[in-house]
Amino acid sequence: MGRNSRKIEILTAASKVVSEKGIFNLTLEAAAVEAGISKGGLLYHFPSKEALVEGMVEHLTNNYREKIEYNADIDPEERGQWLRAYINVTFNQTYQNKDMNAGLLAAKAVNSNLLDPMRELYTDWQSEIENDGLDPVKATIIRLAVDGIWLSELFDIHHIEESKKENIYKALIDWANE
């Protein structure tokens, strides 16, 4: 097994701990047990809890960045391509293991500076969205609506039924095409 796949297994395990047991139950020991490795094996890849959480955020950030850039690049209609890519990825192509989003919660609890890669990414995306050929205020409102749905589900506050969520997705895409 490659080093990278082992790291991803550890990150996935840590995210599962946060998602199922809560942020404050994320320890190196708990992540190692969930990953099925020794604590020493975990420490080889992530020498501290902060490094583990930083890895979680970086992995999630890189995944979202790649998907949104790819979707924007393949969109044949240049006007609104970043906003459509953002909507599409957030609704339909989120990280395959939704527990990985829990890394953001862990980062906020451990050291909010660990969220800097995500902050930088959002700054870049917001700039792309505002310069996407659409009204920047309308584009921002659409992005915020998408974020609201995503965060509502991340915090397990409210999950919209699938048919309604699909209708919302279609409406947001339609607005991004206006």
Side-chain angles (χ1 to χ4, degrees), residues 106-119:
K108 184 68 177 167
V110 171
N111 176 352
S112 67
N113 291 334
L114 297 176
L115 289 171
D116 285 347
M118 187 61 80
R119 290 182 182 114

Side-chain angles (χ1 to χ4, degrees), residues 58-72:
E58 286 178 1
H59 181 70
L60 184 65
T61 301
N62 291 337
N63 183 271
Y64 275 119
R65 175 187 292 113
E66 290 169 7
K67 285 181 179 177
I68 290 176
E69 286 176 1
Y70 174 78
N71 278 265

Side-chain angles (χ1 to χ4, degrees), residues 83-111:
L83 184 57
R84 283 189 301 277
Y86 187 80
I87 296 166
N88 187 19
V89 169
T90 305
F91 269 78
N92 301 316
Q93 299 176 38
T94 55
Y95 195 83
Q96 62 187 6
N97 177 357
K98 291 193 181 232
D99 288 344
M100 193 61 77
N101 291 321
L104 301 175
L105 303 174
K108 184 68 177 167
V110 171
N111 176 352

Side-chain angles (χ1 to χ4, degrees), residues 79-176:
R79 184 177 181 272
Q81 69 186 166
W82 276 92
L83 184 57
R84 283 189 301 277
Y86 187 80
I87 296 166
N88 187 19
V89 169
T90 305
F91 269 78
N92 301 316
Q93 299 176 38
T94 55
Y95 195 83
Q96 62 187 6
N97 177 357
K98 291 193 181 232
D99 288 344
M100 193 61 77
N101 291 321
L104 301 175
L105 303 174
K108 184 68 177 167
V110 171
N111 176 352
S112 67
N113 291 334
L114 297 176
L115 289 171
D116 285 347
M118 187 61 80
R119 290 182 182 114
E120 291 168 16
L121 188 59
Y122 261 81
T123 298
D124 292 346
W125 284 338
Q126 183 64 31
S127 177
E128 292 287 357
I129 288 169
E130 287 181 8
N131 295 295
D132 212 9
L134 305 172
D135 173 61
V137 172
K138 182 178 180 181
T140 299
I141 291 168
I142 293 169
R143 184 195 59 83
L144 291 170
V146 172
D147 287 350
I149 292 167
W150 176 66
L151 289 169
S152 178
E153 291 178 355
L154 174 63
F155 284 104
D156 206 21
I157 295 169
H158 181 73
H159 294 267
I160 298 170
E161 67 179 70
E162 284 305 312
S163 63
K164 186 180 287 184
K165 191 173 176 181
E166 180 64 25
N167 290 334
I168 292 168
Y169 168 76
K170 289 176 184 174
L172 292 170
I173 290 291
D174 287 347
W175 293 341

